[in-house]
Amino acid sequence: MHRDDASDLLAFLAVARERNFTRAAAKLGMTQSALSQIIRNLEERLGVRLLNRTTRSVTPTQAGERLFQSIGPKFTEMDSDLAALGEFREKPAGTVRLTATEYAASEILLPALGKLLPKYPDIHVEIIIDYGLTNIVAQQVDAGIRPGELVAKDMIAVRVSPDLRMAVVGSPSYFADRKRPKTPQDLTQHNCLNLRLPTHGGSLYAWEFEKNGRELNVRVEGQLVFNSAGLLLNGALKGLGLAYLTEGHVQPYLSEGRLVRVLSDWCPPFSGYHLYYASRRQPSPAFSLLVEALRYRAK
């Protein structure tokens, strides 16, 4: 079928459905005179009259009705097939690579993904556990999750959690024969579980405290050093020393009495976790859905 025939047949179908040249022309986005000329040209090529025209109405002739009933369903079916292809094109798919700490991955990412991924089976997510400030552009990572105060100013940041607090914790067995610290300086008398972070050039992480506007960074000492918050938690639970972790990380164990918290008055809230990505990044549908699933909405 010639391309002109296809477009002219679509014009004929519009008129046959509307039974009116003015309405059909408006739907097709053309003038009434142009539409009338298209129908006349089609009738001349086919050698048969398709429409009866009066000043008040437009009705198909017998030949026009037969053509309408024959090709109308075919064009409708083609429209449906093309729409189905559009659904495939718009269906979110692809792999999203994220970097996060263990706690953020476990308590923020996984709950959100548990709701998102079953709805979109073509979305895949790779989670990279990292405590450093990963250069997501250089490492070809789509986004990272870190506390808001650590996110670079040139990044787009989306809050994905409420404000955070840190907590110094130890097991009841650890405190059985030790005094509980009342100030950060008292930590020098305790066996503390250290965390080595690549963010700090491989040095040990200094525990950060603040009270009444006074800030203290304490370089604690102890027999064990880890590079994983999960191991810090396990070490504290086993009575091996004091650990410095996010409040949410230890809250279940505090409630159960398996951990004891100290120095809570020296641990004020700070900026919660944010998902960050490069400002020049063009978000894919899959990435946009993930951001929306993670977005924190303050109540």
Side-chain angles (χ1 to χ4, degrees):
M1 179 173 58
H2 194 274
R3 182 177 61 184
D4 290 341
D5 289 336
S7 60
D8 292 353
L9 287 171
L10 286 171
F12 162 73
L13 288 173
V15 177
R17 289 192 187 99
E18 296 297 329
R19 305 297 173 98
N20 184 284
F21 271 91
T22 302
R23 290 196 298 269
K27 288 202 168 185
L28 294 170
M30 63 176 65
T31 64
Q32 182 178 340
S33 59
L35 179 57
S36 296
Q37 186 61 50
I38 288 172
I39 298 301
R40 283 195 294 271
N41 292 341
L42 177 62
E43 290 175 329
E44 288 177 6
R45 288 201 304 274
L46 296 177
V48 63
R49 190 174 183 82
L50 299 173
L51 297 171
N52 291 317
R53 305 165 179 82
T54 69
T55 56
R56 294 186 177 182
S57 66
V58 177
T59 57
T61 63
Q62 186 175 0
E65 185 63 29
R66 179 175 178 178
L67 181 63
F68 178 71
Q69 296 297 334
S70 175
I71 69 171
K74 292 184 174 65
F75 275 92
T76 300
E77 184 178 355
M78 283 191 289
D79 285 340
S80 298
D81 290 341
L82 290 174
L85 290 176
E87 290 176 6
F88 278 111
R89 183 183 65 250
E90 296 168 2
K91 191 174 183 180
T95 298
V96 179
R97 302 182 74 232
L98 301 169
T99 170
T101 62
E102 282 179 90
Y103 176 74
S106 174
E107 301 302 319
I108 298 174
L109 274 173
L110 292 186
L113 293 176
K115 297 178 181 179
L116 178 70
L117 296 185
K119 299 178 183 177
Y120 301 97
D122 293 325
I123 294 179
H124 298 83
V125 178
E126 179 180 351
I127 300 173
I128 303 161
I129 301 302
D130 184 5
Y131 290 93
L133 294 179
T134 302
N135 185 328
I136 59 175
V137 176
Q139 298 298 320
Q140 297 183 329
V141 176
D142 295 294
I145 295 182
R146 297 291 187 276
E149 61 191 25
L150 300 180
V151 176
K153 298 300 183 184
D154 60 343
M155 292 285 169
I156 294 176
V158 179
R159 179 183 278 267
V160 295
S161 85
D163 284 347
L164 302 171
R165 288 185 72 197
M166 299 302 293
V168 180
V169 295
S171 70
S173 63
Y174 175 83
F175 286 118
D177 56 356
R178 295 178 177 87
K179 291 183 179 180
R180 299 183 184 185
K182 296 183 178 180
T183 68
Q185 293 89 336
D186 293 341
L187 292 172
T188 58
Q189 306 301 316
H190 286 267
N191 197 359
C192 298
L193 306 176
N194 264 303
L195 179 67
R196 192 178 298 279
L197 294 178
T199 310
H200 295 69
S203 62
L204 299 180
Y205 174 63
W207 295 11
E208 301 171 84
F209 299 98
E210 181 183 344
K211 184 176 182 180
N212 299 327
R214 181 189 178 192
E215 297 182 4
L216 286 177
N217 288 351
V218 180
R219 299 282 179 181
V220 298
E221 296 185 0
Q223 294 175 282
L224 288 170
V225 178
F226 301 107
N227 68 348
S228 159
L231 289 174
L232 283 178
L233 176 60
N234 286 334
L237 287 168
K238 295 181 184 303
L240 297 175
L242 298 182
Y244 184 72
L245 294 160
T246 54
E247 185 178 60
H249 208 162
V250 300
Q251 188 59 55
Y253 305 98
L254 294 172
S255 300
E256 295 170 1
R258 297 179 63 191
L259 288 176
V260 176
R261 184 174 186 176
V262 295
L263 301 177
S264 60
D265 55 332
W266 281 90
C267 298
F270 62 95
S271 178
Y273 281 110
H274 286 64
L275 179 137
Y276 66 95
Y277 57 97
S279 57
R280 63 176 179 272
R281 186 187 193 282
Q282 184 63 37
S284 66
F287 183 78
S288 297
L289 278 171
L290 180 60
V291 172
E292 189 60 27
L294 289 169
R295 188 186 298 275
Y296 174 75
R297 295 172 178 81
K299 293 186 171 58

